[in-house]
Amino acid sequence: MSVRGSLRRHRFIGTAVALSAAVALAATLSACAGDGPPKKAYTVPASLCGITVDPALVKAVLPGGDSLTTATEKPNGGTVRCNLSVDGKQALSLAQAWWGERDSAAGVAQAYAHTDDGTLSEDERFVYTGRAGVGQTVSSCEVAEHPEQDLYTVVETRDTGVDDPEAIQKLLTAYTKAVEGSPACR
C-alpha cells in the first residue's frame, strides 16, 4: 500500500472513530435527559375530599404527570376513601376507616397491601413503608355512629413506582392529624 493510500485509510478510520464518539456522546446525553423523574405539572389542592393536607406532602408521593383528579368513595358504612388519579390512572388513596376498639395500628396494617414489615413509630400509632401506611387517631376521636371503635387513617400508593418511607411517614402523620381536627372525629 502506498503512503498516500495509508494516509487516506488513517483519515477514514479517524473520521469513523470521531463520528462514532459523537454518536455515542449524543446518545448518552439524550439518555441522561430522559432519566430524570417525570415532571409533576398538576396542582394538588389543599383540601382533599374535605381534609386539609399540605399539598407538598401529597405531591411527594405522587408520580409525574399532567393532570390530577380526586374522587370520594364510601365502600361501606365506616370507610371513606379519597382516591387521587394522575393522568387518569389511580395513584394514591387516602382513607379513614373505623376498626374495633382493641385493634392497633400494627394489627390494622395487616389488612392493607404494602405494609408488611413496616416501621412502627415509637408511640405505636403509625406503621409505614415506602408505599403505604396506617395511622391511629387519638382516643378522643369518637362519634356516636361508631361506638366502641377507633378511627384509623390509611395512605396507599397504587403501583406508581413511588417507594419513599420518609415521604409516606410525613404524609401519614399530617393526614392523621388533619383527620383528628376534622368533623370525622367529632
Side-chain angles (χ1 to χ4, degrees):
M1 179 181 286
S2 70
V3 173
R4 184 180 245 180
S6 179
L7 285 174
R8 264 191 258 150
R9 184 169 179 259
H10 283 301
R11 255 189 250 145
F12 174 75
I13 291 172
T15 303
V17 168
L19 183 59
S20 293
V23 168
L25 178 61
T28 301
L29 290 175
S30 68
C32 289
D35 285 347
K39 185 178 178 187
K40 298 178 183 183
Y42 49 80
T43 300
V44 177
S47 179
L48 296 169
C49 305
I51 303 296
T52 301
V53 184
D54 180 353
L57 296 176
V58 176
K59 203 169 202 176
V61 300
L62 289 173
D66 294 318
S67 66
L68 176 75
T69 57
T70 62
T72 302
E73 179 182 57
K74 296 181 180 182
N76 59 47
T79 302
V80 176
R81 242 184 240 123
C82 186
N83 296 317
L84 287 75
S85 297
V86 174
D87 295 342
K89 183 179 177 193
Q90 192 174 42
L92 179 68
S93 175
L94 302 173
Q96 304 162 38
W98 291 93
W99 284 76
E101 203 171 35
R102 293 190 191 124
D103 287 319
S104 65
V108 171
Q110 292 176 14
Y112 294 95
H114 309 297
T115 57
D116 296 339
D117 299 321
T119 300
L120 182 64
S121 65
E122 274 189 41
D123 62 4
E124 299 183 0
R125 289 183 53 209
F126 303 97
V127 174
Y128 57 93
T129 66
R131 297 189 55 199
V134 172
Q136 183 177 14
T137 61
V138 291
S139 60
S140 61
C141 181
E142 297 176 346
V143 295
E145 296 86 21
H146 299 283
E148 299 180 23
Q149 290 185 317
D150 291 325
L151 184 60
Y152 288 82
T153 58
V154 182
V155 170
E156 294 178 282
T157 61
R158 305 285 190 197
D159 299 322
T160 58
V162 172
D163 190 352
D164 187 341
E166 184 179 346
I168 292 291
Q169 184 264 337
K170 286 179 180 179
L171 175 58
L172 177 63
T173 302
Y175 181 65
T176 302
K177 289 181 186 208
V179 168
E180 290 169 346
S182 76
C185 275
R186 292 183 224 132

